[in-house]
Amino acid sequence: MSTPAYTELHQRHQRLHRLAHLQSIAQWDQSANMPSKGNEARSLALAEMGGLLHQLATEPQLKGLLDAAAAEPLSADQAANLREMGRAWRASNALPQSLVEAKSLANSRCEHAWRAQRQANDWAGYLPLLKECVRLAREEARCLSESSGLGLYDALMDQYEPGMRSAEVDRVFGDLRSWLPQLIKEVQAKQASETVLRPQGPFTKAAQRALGLDAMQLMGFDFEAGRLDESAHPFCGGVPEDVRITTRYREDDFLPSLMGTIHETGHARYEQNLPQDWLGQPLAQARSMGLHESQSLSFEMQLGCHPAFAKLLSPLIAKHLGAQEAFEPANLNRLLTRVHSGYIRVDADEVTYPAHVILRYEIERALIEGQIECEDIPALWDAKMMELLGVDTRGNFKDGCMQDVHWSGGLFGYFPCYTLGAMYAAQWFATMRRARPNLDADIAAGNLAPVFDWLRANIWHQGSRLETPDLVKAASGETLNPAHFKAHLMSRYLG
């Protein structure tokens, strides 16, 4: 078959991938390894690279190549790849290069300053930098909206969760709001009578890092295609051939780092197992960030907080941190499934976690749509934390509205993906149990292969061949069904 236009597009996207590879590693280094005085130069370099990538992605001849390729005889995979090329082309052309560069520079500066300002509880110092990020995000939303016909917030969310609309998020989150606060109260009342032994620290960073590496090994991480480092906010970056994950350590509590590392390992294994024959092409990219979060939460919550998983973690913890009664499997499982209304999203249990996401979604959507301004964030944050979790955050910006890196990095429209991911993850495990009724016995026996094999075949190796609703239906027999998430929480915590 003769496909000259498609072949040309394939080659151009291969080049874009290689340059984006360098951009991604430079961004990882900025967050994990770079000395502070290098930030301005790195920010300018990343803005320059962002502009170059945008220029290459919007070259005038691409429109003709896309049209010509659509008339060529393509395989099903090539047609899917072309569909994703077109999606990327339309999104890139909606944004002027000057905005791409300005946004990159503002986000780099804000994120760098945020690290110190958060520790200092310095909302007043952070506010001007955040306002510039929001100004540029609003401009980005306007450009994308005019190009796509979507609403302002939907246009941003579509970059992370293609096809998802705020009307659907409102429906799903509205249902969550109707039963989640009561569930939190019921679980906390049930757990109040349970005796839980607290681990006795301190736990050195070196010991925690060694424990994290062993946990990554247990979860199947390929150390020849990635590594673990430390950063102010845990994340997964890099490229499928070189996945970089980070965690952060507290010497008084090892569980946030351990479970954060397991979470990021879920992201990493998705990246490491994307379609190898298509690397460098849009088809080999993760389908959406909701699906990405479904992988991290499959690892951290579905597996990591599974009653039998504590038996696998217990000897690893004792090996690196010393023997304690608190590390025995039954007590460890109680520690991993404590439901506590706390300040910090990334340390939250799976029952209270959706409340943190609902709060952020409601604030950032109103912010992008111009219903509120940055100055309004702290008061709204305080009110919603009290309403949803009963937690008082007044004056505590560090553990309140400054705790996340997302807004500093310009990632508006991302937060819904976390709870959508939790819903997908529950749906995956419900599907696995239907196909393999002894799945829980497998996990108890330390046989995690059935879980990984299912995820590899149905999610990881699929990449972006199918659009999200089609992929979810092909994997589980139905599109997103939040009832699986509610059933999971009810069974695990009240069953």
Side-chain angles (χ1 to χ4, degrees):
M1 295 188 295
S2 176
T3 58
Y6 175 83
T7 300
E8 173 71 13
L9 287 168
H10 187 281
Q11 293 170 348
R12 286 170 179 263
H13 276 271
Q14 208 70 40
R15 186 183 183 210
L16 283 168
H17 170 72
R18 290 172 184 140
L19 291 171
H21 179 157
L22 296 177
Q23 179 189 48
S24 182
I25 296 302
Q27 288 169 334
W28 163 83
D29 180 75
Q30 184 181 40
S31 295
N33 208 36
M34 187 191 72
S36 60
K37 288 185 178 179
N39 188 67
E40 185 64 14
R42 181 65 55 84
S43 298
L44 290 167
L46 286 170
E48 188 80 23
M49 178 64 88
L52 173 61
L53 285 166
H54 182 266
Q55 182 180 335
L56 293 172
T58 56
E59 288 181 325
Q61 56 267 51
L62 286 175
K63 177 65 168 63
L65 289 170
L66 287 166
D67 290 342
E72 293 176 343
L74 303 178
S75 69
D77 279 354
Q78 288 174 327
N81 196 40
L82 182 64
R83 180 196 70 222
E84 295 305 307
M85 288 176 177
R87 185 198 303 278
W89 179 85
R90 287 188 295 274
S92 296
N93 273 272
L95 304 177
Q97 183 170 331
S98 59
L99 175 59
V100 172
E101 293 177 356
K103 186 170 180 286
S104 173
L105 190 58
N107 295 155
S108 289
R109 287 170 172 166
C110 185
E111 181 182 338
H112 182 71
W114 162 82
R115 296 177 208 167
Q117 289 166 339
R118 182 196 172 207
Q119 292 303 315
N121 202 44
D122 183 11
W123 170 256
Y126 176 65
L127 182 59
L129 295 167
L130 178 63
K131 289 176 71 172
E132 178 65 4
C133 292
V134 170
R135 183 186 72 80
L136 292 168
R138 286 172 170 173
E139 179 64 15
E140 179 185 23
R142 184 189 65 78
C143 292
L144 291 169
S145 175
E146 290 177 356
S147 172
S148 66
L150 299 174
L152 293 171
Y153 186 79
D154 283 355
L156 293 181
M157 185 166 59
D158 195 67
Q159 298 180 104
Y160 306 108
E161 195 64 14
M164 181 59 67
R165 302 292 176 257
S166 52
E168 175 66 5
V169 175
D170 287 344
R171 182 186 71 80
V172 170
F173 284 9
D175 178 65
L176 258 179
R177 260 184 171 274
S178 73
W179 55 263
L180 185 64
Q182 183 61 31
L183 176 65
I184 292 171
K185 291 177 183 176
E186 290 179 18
V187 175
Q188 288 176 337
K190 179 184 177 184
Q191 293 184 348
S193 62
E194 297 177 359
T195 299
V196 183
L197 299 175
R198 295 290 168 184
Q200 299 302 305
F203 309 103
T204 67
K205 285 186 178 182
Q208 289 189 63
R209 173 177 166 78
L211 170 60
L213 292 171
D214 269 3
M216 291 166 68
Q217 185 78 41
L218 174 67
M219 307 302 278
F221 184 86
D222 181 358
F223 286 96
E224 293 185 353
R227 55 180 286 139
L228 171 69
D229 290 279
E230 183 179 0
S231 68
H233 191 97
F235 70 96
C236 176
V239 292
E241 305 94 323
D242 182 8
V243 181
R244 306 298 181 93
I245 72 173
T246 70
T247 191
R248 61 186 178 196
Y249 301 104
R250 287 174 45 187
E251 295 205 344
D252 65 323
D253 188 356
F254 71 93
L255 283 174
S257 172
L258 174 61
M259 300 312 290
T261 299
I262 290 174
H263 176 103
E264 299 304 336
T265 301
H267 282 306
R269 290 217 63 195
Y270 188 11
E271 290 289 322
Q272 290 179 337
N273 286 275
L274 287 166
Q276 293 293 308
D277 293 344
W278 286 89
L279 289 181
Q281 296 299 308
L283 183 145
Q285 293 174 358
R287 173 64 248 162
S288 76
M289 293 315 301
L291 290 185
H292 230 307
E293 294 301 339
S294 82
Q295 301 312 291
S296 58
L297 295 172
S298 288
F299 276 50
E300 180 191 8
M301 297 302 183
Q302 293 291 332
L303 274 180
C305 294
H306 189 286
F309 195 73
K311 296 178 183 177
L312 307 182
L313 287 179
S314 179
L316 298 181
I317 295 170
K319 169 186 171 184
H320 294 288
L321 305 183
Q324 290 190 28
E325 193 175 350
F327 299 158
E328 291 302 311
N331 189 73
L332 182 59
N333 179 247
R334 285 193 288 271
L335 284 168
L336 291 170
T337 54
R338 287 303 84 190
V339 174
H340 170 68
S341 298
Y343 295 112
I344 305 299
R345 175 186 62 84
V346 297
D347 295 340
D349 56 86
E350 63 178 333
V351 180
T352 61
Y353 193 101
H356 291 271
V357 172
I358 291 169
L359 176 153
R360 288 154 173 79
Y361 163 69
E362 291 177 352
I363 290 177
E364 72 173 14
R365 183 180 172 192
L367 194 61
I368 292 299
E369 294 178 350
Q371 298 165 13
I372 63 170
E373 298 299 331
C374 292
E375 290 85 350
D376 302 319
I377 291 175
L380 278 170
W381 189 285
D382 295 341
K384 290 177 184 293
M385 281 293 286
M386 184 58 66
E387 174 195 359
L388 289 164
L389 290 166
V391 173
D392 186 353
T393 54
R394 289 174 296 177
N396 185 355
F397 307 110
K398 172 180 178 291
D399 297 325
C401 58
M402 289 181 69
Q403 68 180 264
D404 294 301
V405 73
H406 301 62
W407 293 341
S408 303
L411 300 180
F412 293 92
Y414 190 112
F415 276 119
C417 299
Y418 288 111
T419 290
L420 293 172
M423 292 175 176
Y424 285 129
Q427 193 159 326
W428 306 151
F429 275 76
T431 304
M432 289 181 221
R433 288 187 175 97
R434 287 198 302 270
R436 191 180 181 92
N438 62 341
L439 182 72
D440 295 287
D442 288 330
I443 296 170
N447 178 20
L448 306 182
V451 172
F452 299 151
D453 290 347
W454 189 94
L455 292 173
R456 183 183 296 108
N458 291 281
I459 309 297
W460 302 345
H461 281 185
Q462 295 306 313
S464 288
R465 283 189 174 91
L466 300 174
E467 300 212 50
T468 305
D470 297 326
L471 187 151
V472 175
K473 190 169 184 178
S476 67
E478 58 183 332
T479 54
L480 176 63
N481 182 356
H484 292 297
F485 183 55
K486 183 177 182 180
H488 160 68
L489 294 181
M490 294 290 187
S491 173
R492 176 171 285 177
Y493 292 92
L494 293 179

